């Protein structure tokens, strides 16, 4: 198959850079790819011959494994690199690491990094496709894409839907990517959290701010509950985890008092009993594990599109090559 220019461009760095049409094309491409993971033999030759490096400089369970499954199910050759197992611990820079990988003729790099802007920095310096798997507090585009896909599975239409992101907005790349993606698709977006964890002036992005969880729940149709990122806090953001749960926790009594049936998402990993109670996380409102399942299909879609695949040929691509 002749390789065509990707409808996404060379890289996927953030949803802020995408149009609503591009976001929908990823979601629509993910739909036919869902079925591959339900097969007995979960493998199609879509990316046969492509080499992909997963460069994870921060810990990850869901994103790293999900990308690896997506790559393997599309028949790409994959290599995983972590900070502790690489020459980064000897002081090698990110760009030198990437240039050495390039010298081995790779096609794509999936990068997670603690610094905002690391994915863009790399994308501007190497010819391979770069996919941002989370950079500092900047963006985590594939997480937001799988959130959008999961919401669409249940609510069908994102236009006009009221989605509230609850918790640690300040440190959250997931919040930023969700805000950009939801607004591009016409949803109404709210954020809710303690004043210390909601960035000043966030309304300028086009979101409403709720200071009380009860008001957010009264307004919203979907809650996306975020983890308190304790590892990024130097202290003083919340008085105690018990108080955080008391004032902002998503609990069953709060959901039962809501005027409508709410859909509850969480990107993981969860602090059970802090931002979300276990009976909510494991209960009927929750679609948390479906998010994880959808993550594989969304990442397959991103890999396929960046490799030059066309959304309308995704169904055919599953039968042999790029479609
Ligand atoms: N949602 C998410 O990014 O989880 P991981 O940190 O486990 O990848």
């Amino acid at each position: 198959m002749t390789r065509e220019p990707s409808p996404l461009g060379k890289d996927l760095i953030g949803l802020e850079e995408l149009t609503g049409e591009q976001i929908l094309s990823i979601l629509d491409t993910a739909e036919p790819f869902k079925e591959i993971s339900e097969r007995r033999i979960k493998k199609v030759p879509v990316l046969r011959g492509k080499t992909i490096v997963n460069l994870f400089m921060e810990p990850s369970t869901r994103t790293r494994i999900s990308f690896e499954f997506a790559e393997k199910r599309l028949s790409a050759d994959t290599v995983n690199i972590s900070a502790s197992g690489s020459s980064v611990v000897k002081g090698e820079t990110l760009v030198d690491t990437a240039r050495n990988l390039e010298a081995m003729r790779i096609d794509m790099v999936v990068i997670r990094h603690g610094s905002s802007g690391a994915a863009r920095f790399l994308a501007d310096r190497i010819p391979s496709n770069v996919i941002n798997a989370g950079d500092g507090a900047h963006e985590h585009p594939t997480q937001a894409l799988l959130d959008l896909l999961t919401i669409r599975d249940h609510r069908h239409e994102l236009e006009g839907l009221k989605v509230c992101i609850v918790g640690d907005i300040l440190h959250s790349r997931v919040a930023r990517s969700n805000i950009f993606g939801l607004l591009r698709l016409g949803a109404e977006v709210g954020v809710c959290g303690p004043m210390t964890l909601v960035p000043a002036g966030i309304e300028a992005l086009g979101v409403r701010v709720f200071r009380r969880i009860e008001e957010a729940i009264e307004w919203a149709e979907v809650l996306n509950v975020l983890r308190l990122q304790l590892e990024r806090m130097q202290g003083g953001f919340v008085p105690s985890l018990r108080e955080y749960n008391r004032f902002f926790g998503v609990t069953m009594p709060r959901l039962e008092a809501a005027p409508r049936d709410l859909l509850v998402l969480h990107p993981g990993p969860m602090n059970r009993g802090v931002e979300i109670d276990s009976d909510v996380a494991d209960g009927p409102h929750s679609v948390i594990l479906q998010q994880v399942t959808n993550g594989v299909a969304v990442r397959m879609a991103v890999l396929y599109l960046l490799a030059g695949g066309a959304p309308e040929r995704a169904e055919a691509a599953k039968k042999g090559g790029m479609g």
Side-chain angles (χ1 to χ4, degrees), residues 196-259:
T196 48
L197 294 178
V198 176
I202 194 167
E203 294 91 339
L205 293 180
V207 305
R208 318 172 44 140
V209 176
F210 296 96
R211 293 288 175 212
R212 296 185 63 245
I213 185 74
E214 292 79 7
E215 287 168 10
I217 286 177
E218 167 102 19
W219 174 81
E221 297 166 272
V222 177
L223 295 181
N224 198 346
V225 188
L226 302 182
R227 183 171 72 88
L228 279 198
Q229 298 196 32
L230 302 168
E231 76 278 17
R232 296 191 209 274
M233 296 184 192
Q234 301 300 314
F237 285 92
V238 292
S240 71
L241 299 185
R242 206 156 59 129
E243 267 185 297
Y244 182 85
N245 180 258
R246 187 163 153 234
F247 289 103
F248 289 97
V250 176
T251 64
M252 198 54 99
R254 286 188 166 132
L255 293 185
E256 284 169 354

Side-chain angles (χ1 to χ4, degrees), residues 94-117:
L94 177 62
V95 78
D96 278 341
T97 304
R99 283 184 181 143
N100 278 273
L101 298 172
E102 277 289 345
M104 295 180 228
R105 304 289 179 255
I106 59 167
D107 296 293
M108 294 188 186
V109 178
V110 176
I111 177 169
R112 169 165 289 194
H113 201 283
S115 299
S116 301

Side-chain angles (χ1 to χ4, degrees), residues 46-57:
V46 170
L47 293 183
R48 195 166 46 196
K50 297 276 181 206
T51 306
I52 305 178
V53 173
N54 300 310
L55 188 59
F56 275 69
M57 300 299 183

